[in-house]
């Protein structure tokens, strides 16, 4: 299992609130809202429908991994496109995503110092109804703390979510 697969499985486990091995539209919406990211219900349902091979409105772990893989491929294509200076123009949609990410970061960064500490991460996850045990907390920090300074900065936070 690759490191990315391990991280994605941890993300899936965080979304799967009732631990039934499937993610529903409600579970996805719950997590996004608690992160301060508002997405219309219709979009959430469309995303779930797109990811679910059975069309039953549920995503199992394998479907989640495939779906995120497609999203990452699209993101990589977009980044290559954006790296071309002739393609640079401001996108309102990108600005909205940036604002949502900043709002979500502030939910976690309780003291406003620009970093999410281990304690802040644990408190924020409890606030959004996703308490983590020590092992899950360690895994999430290992995933997010790229510079290994024991805290998560904004850039690390956005890389985790995008």
């Amino acid at each position: 299992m690759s490191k990315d697969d391990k991280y994605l499985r941890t993300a899936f486990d965080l979304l799967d609130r009732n631990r039934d091995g499937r993610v529903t539209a409600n579970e996805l919406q719950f997590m996004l809202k608690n992160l301060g990211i508002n997405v219309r219900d219709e979009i959430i349902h469309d995303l779930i429908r797109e990811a679910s091979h059975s069309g039953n409105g549920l995503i199992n772990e394998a479907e989640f991994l495939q779906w995120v893989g497609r999203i990452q491929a699209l993101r990589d294509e977009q980044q290559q496109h954006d790296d071309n200076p002739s393609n640079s123009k401001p996108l309102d949609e990108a600005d909205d995503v940036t604002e949502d990410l900043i709002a979500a970061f502030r939910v976690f960064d309780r003291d406003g110092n620009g970093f999410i500490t281990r304690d802040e991460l644990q408190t924020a996850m409890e606030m959004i109804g996703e308490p983590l045990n020590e092992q899950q907390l360690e895994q999430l920090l290992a995933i997010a703390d790229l510079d290994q300074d024991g805290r998560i900065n904004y850039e690390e936070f956005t890389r985790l979510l995008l």
Side-chain angles (χ1 to χ4, degrees):
M1 173 178 12
S2 77
K3 196 173 186 180
D4 286 343
D5 283 350
K6 182 178 173 185
Y7 297 156
L8 291 175
R9 284 191 168 90
T10 299
F12 180 84
D13 289 342
L14 289 172
L15 286 169
D16 183 16
R17 294 180 46 78
N18 65 358
R19 306 289 183 247
D20 67 352
R22 301 174 301 189
V23 172
T24 66
N26 287 340
E27 287 171 324
L28 181 58
Q29 185 68 285
F30 178 84
M31 178 64 78
L32 291 173
K33 280 185 179 174
N34 284 313
L35 289 171
I37 301 170
N38 295 309
V39 179
R40 289 191 327 269
D41 287 340
E42 311 86 68
I43 293 174
I44 295 292
H45 287 284
D46 287 346
L47 290 170
I48 295 289
R49 227 181 346 271
E50 174 190 324
S52 173
H53 296 198
S54 64
N56 63 0
L58 304 170
I59 304 173
N60 65 30
E61 188 176 281
E63 291 168 334
F64 178 78
L65 294 174
Q66 289 175 346
W67 181 58
V68 172
R70 286 195 309 267
I71 291 170
Q72 289 173 328
L74 290 171
R75 181 193 65 191
D76 293 345
E77 284 177 25
Q78 183 63 42
Q79 284 176 341
Q80 288 173 355
H81 177 76
D82 290 348
D83 288 344
N84 182 346
S86 66
N87 294 328
S88 59
K89 56 182 174 180
L91 296 173
D92 290 339
E93 210 171 287
D95 292 343
D96 289 346
V97 169
T98 300
E99 287 177 25
D100 288 344
L101 287 171
I102 290 169
F105 184 82
R106 287 183 178 144
V107 168
F108 285 81
D109 181 20
R110 305 295 289 170
D111 63 6
N113 70 351
F115 297 96
I116 301 169
T117 64
R118 176 190 181 87
D119 290 340
E120 287 172 326
L121 179 61
Q122 188 165 30
T123 300
M125 293 305 290
E126 288 169 0
M127 271 179 29
I128 64 172
E130 294 292 335
L132 301 176
N133 63 34
E134 281 301 311
Q135 181 183 2
Q136 291 169 322
L137 188 59
E138 288 296 326
Q139 286 176 338
L140 193 51
L141 279 170
I143 293 167
D145 185 17
L146 300 175
D147 62 9
Q148 299 178 343
D149 66 351
R151 55 194 187 171
I152 302 167
N153 61 36
Y154 177 74
E155 181 181 338
E156 292 167 331
F157 183 79
T158 57
R159 285 179 187 232
L160 178 67
L161 296 178
L162 294 179

